[in-house]
């Protein structure tokens, strides 16, 4: 098989040679060597290559760089990347999810077409990447396909993440015909008992059959999109199932297989959920406390300059780690120009606190995103990938590992 990038070689080497080379060493290899996701880079770049969007990205990136250097929040442009929450309701009860665990403190509801249309009026010409998911199941909003279609009419790259329980024949065809560029389907086990241990209330067979229907329908309609990735959250009870899950992903015919780590908030959760393999833990334990690996080395998070998140009711928060809306910085219903929020005093104060002392912000302490991750780590990862000496497999499924959870 021809590999698009050296990281993929390391991933396939892991799956093909784990019995020969040892489980632990190859876990470490794949964790260090690979950093990718469900995104189609070519389509994403095409969405960006419009004058307003390109200029806006340059402005926002320059502001991030200057702010990182002078340690004061400089803001140019508006966010080129946007996450929206279609709903904070879900059909499952995943224990580590704010919604699933019953810890949602915000009002429960669903994004209206009017709110989304207003958002597109404010930002549609400037954003090139739209993520339609947050704290809830996107398919539970009956207007989900309308959101995708409107964004695609504006030439925006659109992705989503789902638990896969709503793949009826009608929804599958709508998904494909909407123009959705890519999607994640969460499957965290190869048996019902393993799957439902975390996806409480879920039906593994229903998700498998729905995913199979999606891929078959995509082929029948002659479409290349959405690019479909199965996401596997690695936990203590399922880490041994990674090879079997990889085989299931191949059998279903999806495009990518994502292996992701989990977010926990206490030592009790850590003891119960974190996998034994150190390479798949995003935390280390210091003096009896959980500490996110590498967070002290990556002080300046790019998200505060390059992206933002809108909850279903129009409230704006800094990023996806603010699950309960603790740091609301505005509401799009109260502004005619998004710059009033983007450059407003609340978000500027948040940026300043982050630049001064990232560790003082609770949601930032549990995140390992940062400006320092873009160059040095990436070069190291490429070197590690090129060092993988084992031959690759002869199939087309891309196997990738991510170390930062966006959605549990």
């Amino acid at each position: 098989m021809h590999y698009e990038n050296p990281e993929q070689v390391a991933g396939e080497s892991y799956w093909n040679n784990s019995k020969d080379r040892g489980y632990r060493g190859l876990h470490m290899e794949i964790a260090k060597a690979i950093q990718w996701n469900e995104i189609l880079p070519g389509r994403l770049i095409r969405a960006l290559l419009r004058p307003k969007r390109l200029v806006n990205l340059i402005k926002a990136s320059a502001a991030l760089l200057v702010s990182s250097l002078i340690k004061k929040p400089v803001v140019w442009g508006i966010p080129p990347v946007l996450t929206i929450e279609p709903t904070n309701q879900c059909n499952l009860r995943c224990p580590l999810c704010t919604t699933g665990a019953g810890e949602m403190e915000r009002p429960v509801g669903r994004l209206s077409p009017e709110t989304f249309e207003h958002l597109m009026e404010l930002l549609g010409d400037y954003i090139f990447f739209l993520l339609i998911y947050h704290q809830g199941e996107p398919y539970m909003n009956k207007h989900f396909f309308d959101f995708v279609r409107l964004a695609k009419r504006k030439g925006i790259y659109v992705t989503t993440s789902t638990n896969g329980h709503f793949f009826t024949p009608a929804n599958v065809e709508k998904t494909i015909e909407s123009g959705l560029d890519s999607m994640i389907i969460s499957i965290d086990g190869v048996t019902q008992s393993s799957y439902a241990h975390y996806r409480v209330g879920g039906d593994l067979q229903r998700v498998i059959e729905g995913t199979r229907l999606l891929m078959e329908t995509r082929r029948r309609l002659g479409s290349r999109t959405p690019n479909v990735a199965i996401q596997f959250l690695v936990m203590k009870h399922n880490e041994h199932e990674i090879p079997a899950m990889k085989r299931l992903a191949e059998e279903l015919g999806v495009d990518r297989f994502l292996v992701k780590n989990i977010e926990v908030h206490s030592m009790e959760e850590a003891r119960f959920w974190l996998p034994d393999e150190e390479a798949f833990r995003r935390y280390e334990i210091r003096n009896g406390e959980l500490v996110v690996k590498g967070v002290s080395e990556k002080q300046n998070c790019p998200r505060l300059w390059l992206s933002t998140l809108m909850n279903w009711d129009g409230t704006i928060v800094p990023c996806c780690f603010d699950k309960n809306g603790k740091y609301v910085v505005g509401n799009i219903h109260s502004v005619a120009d998004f710059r009033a929020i983007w450059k407003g005093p609340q978000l500027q104060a948040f940026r300043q606190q982050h630049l001064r002392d990232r560790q003082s912000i609770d949601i930032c302490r549990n995140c390992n995103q940062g400006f320092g991750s873009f160059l040095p780590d990436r070069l190291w990862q490429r070197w590690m990938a090129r060092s993988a000496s084992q031959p690759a497999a002869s199939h087309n499924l891309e196997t990738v590992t991510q170390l930062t959870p966006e959605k549990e």
Side-chain angles (χ1 to χ4, degrees):
M1 174 186 175
H2 170 69
Y3 287 91
E4 296 293 332
N5 53 64
E7 292 87 354
Q8 189 180 340
V9 175
E12 296 298 352
S13 296
Y14 164 77
W15 302 116
N16 296 324
N17 300 286
S18 59
K19 291 183 179 179
D20 299 328
R21 300 183 61 194
Y23 192 67
R24 176 173 293 275
L26 285 159
H27 267 75
M28 186 65 71
E29 179 178 287
I30 191 173
K32 288 183 177 179
I34 299 171
Q35 190 178 47
W36 202 238
N37 47 40
E38 85 283 5
I39 306 304
L40 292 169
R43 294 177 70 90
L44 188 65
I45 292 171
R46 285 196 294 273
L48 171 63
L49 293 180
R50 297 188 178 192
K52 286 184 179 180
R53 291 175 183 170
L54 196 55
V55 170
N56 182 59
L57 177 61
I58 292 171
K59 286 182 177 180
S61 300
L64 166 62
L65 180 59
V66 171
S67 300
S68 300
L69 291 173
I70 68 174
K71 298 300 179 182
K72 291 184 180 180
V74 174
V75 180
W76 298 317
I78 56 179
V81 176
L82 177 67
T83 298
I84 67 167
E85 178 183 67
T87 181
N88 58 351
Q89 297 172 306
C90 189
N91 56 307
L92 303 184
R93 301 185 302 280
C94 305
L96 298 179
C97 171
T98 301
T99 298
E103 297 173 352
M104 178 59 61
E105 298 171 2
R106 294 185 281 120
V108 175
R110 302 179 184 185
L111 177 65
S112 70
E114 294 76 19
T115 299
F116 185 78
E117 289 167 5
H118 182 49
L119 180 71
M120 288 294 100
E121 291 172 359
L122 296 179
L123 295 176
D125 291 337
Y126 297 94
I127 62 172
F128 71 96
F129 184 24
L130 178 65
L131 301 89
I132 307 184
Y133 63 94
H134 183 38
Q135 291 298 300
E137 169 53 47
Y139 280 76
M140 290 184 70
N141 188 320
K142 65 180 181 181
H143 302 293
F144 170 71
F145 302 112
D146 298 324
F147 302 152
V148 177
R149 293 188 194 101
L150 178 54
K152 292 308 300 176
R153 284 200 295 269
K154 290 184 172 291
I156 300 169
Y157 186 103
V158 184
T159 191
T160 193
S161 180
T162 175
N163 61 44
H165 281 76
F166 296 89
F167 288 150
T168 63
N171 279 346
V172 161
E173 293 210 5
K174 289 179 182 179
T175 297
I176 298 166
E177 294 171 351
S178 69
L180 183 71
D181 293 286
S182 56
M183 70 188 311
I184 292 170
I185 302 172
S186 296
I187 307 179
D188 314 305
V190 294
T191 66
Q192 175 62 26
S193 60
S194 176
Y195 174 79
H197 187 70
Y198 182 72
R199 302 286 167 183
V200 179
D203 183 340
L204 176 61
Q205 195 59 37
R206 178 176 177 177
V207 177
I208 289 174
E209 293 306 317
T211 302
R212 181 175 287 114
L213 176 63
L214 174 66
M215 302 312 297
E216 291 173 350
T217 305
R218 195 184 75 172
R219 287 191 291 272
R220 176 173 59 80
L221 295 179
S223 177
R224 294 184 177 182
T225 56
N227 195 62
V228 178
I230 284 180
Q231 174 181 282
F232 184 91
L233 295 181
V234 186
M235 294 168 273
K236 187 184 293 290
H237 71 279
N238 69 1
E239 60 184 311
H240 64 285
E241 294 184 339
I242 295 176
M245 190 66 236
K246 167 66 160 46
R247 291 192 294 271
L248 176 58
E250 289 177 316
E251 188 269 324
L252 290 174
V254 300
D255 304 292
R256 293 179 185 168
F257 176 47
L258 309 181
V259 179
K260 297 189 73 173
N261 59 19
I262 60 171
E263 176 187 347
V264 297
H265 297 90
S266 68
M267 286 299 297
E268 182 181 3
E269 288 182 345
R271 283 190 290 268
F272 189 80
W273 293 105
L274 289 185
D276 293 328
E277 174 50 56
E278 183 65 28
F280 287 128
R281 290 179 170 221
R282 63 193 301 259
Y283 305 93
E284 56 186 350
I285 299 176
R286 297 180 192 167
N287 300 320
E289 294 185 355
L290 289 171
V291 179
V292 178
K293 295 176 181 177
V295 71
S296 61
E297 301 171 2
K298 303 167 183 177
Q299 292 298 321
N300 301 332
C301 181
R303 297 189 182 197
L304 298 178
W305 283 264
L306 300 180
S307 68
T308 194
L309 187 147
M310 185 188 76
N311 291 319
W312 70 267
D313 59 356
T315 53
I316 303 296
V317 295
C319 74
C320 63
F321 273 81
D322 189 4
K323 299 174 175 62
N324 265 315
K326 181 178 179 179
Y327 298 99
V328 172
V329 295
N331 191 307
I332 67 160
H333 294 299
S334 62
V335 298
D337 187 335
F338 193 79
R339 292 174 181 85
I341 297 175
W342 190 239
K343 299 182 179 181
Q346 291 170 292
L347 189 49
Q348 281 292 77
F350 189 92
R351 291 189 182 104
Q352 182 62 73
Q353 183 180 358
H354 181 88
L355 288 167
R356 185 188 308 114
D357 182 12
R358 172 184 177 139
Q359 295 299 308
S360 67
I361 305 174
D362 53 356
I363 62 172
C364 299
R365 287 196 297 272
N366 205 12
C367 172
N368 64 357
Q369 290 289 290
F371 188 64
S373 66
F374 287 102
L375 183 61
D377 287 355
R378 191 62 175 167
L379 291 176
W380 173 251
Q381 289 159 359
R382 287 189 178 277
W383 183 89
M384 285 291 297
R386 292 191 180 99
S387 299
S389 59
Q390 297 298 321
S394 58
H395 58 75
N396 295 317
L397 180 69
E398 293 184 57
T399 303
V400 296
T401 297
Q402 291 184 310
L403 300 181
T404 304
E406 291 281 345
K407 177 183 177 183
E408 306 299 341

